Amino acid sequence: MNTYFNGFDSQEVTFKTQSTVQPKRAVALQNTGDIYYAESGGAFTGIVSAYRNGIASVVIRGYAEVSFKSTIPNVGICKLSVGNTGNLEVDEENGKPYTVLSVDIATKTMEIIL
């Protein structure tokens, strides 16, 4: 039996953005109230779930699907940090621990709990 976590304990917020952001990417909140791609190695506010015309819906808590860059994350507790253009990456040294529910190598996405 498969378990589906989509929507689990999820909280989403709508933000303005000055530039186009892609779904499944980590973003951070600027002091202007807009979001942007989180800086590599930096903290992030949440994961973009949808974007349209300068407005993004961002998952700030609960289940999120997010893209990863290179190293394949492990299912379970995995230390992650922000990489290039909002992709998350495995970072055992400086990353924060997140629960990784599944990894899709073909699409380079993973399901996590924030």
Side-chain angles (χ1 to χ4, degrees), residues 78-100:
C78 188
K79 288 187 174 182
L80 304 170
S81 67
V82 179
N84 191 19
T85 60
N87 291 297
L88 293 188
E89 56 187 31
V90 176
D91 184 351
E92 289 299 326
E93 190 172 320
N94 299 312
K96 289 179 58 179
Y98 291 93
T99 302
V100 177

Side-chain angles (χ1 to χ4, degrees), residues 14-34:
T14 303
F15 291 103
K16 288 183 183 179
T17 179
Q18 294 296 318
S19 59
T20 302
V21 292
Q22 299 281 328
K24 302 179 186 173
R25 303 288 174 95
V27 290
L29 185 61
Q30 294 179 314
N31 59 2
T32 61
D34 295 347

Side-chain angles (χ1 to χ4, degrees), residues 7 13 33 37 42 44 47-48 54-55 62 76 84 90 104:
V13 180
Y37 284 134
F44 63 95
I47 307 298
V48 176
I55 304 293
N84 191 19
V90 176
D104 186 332

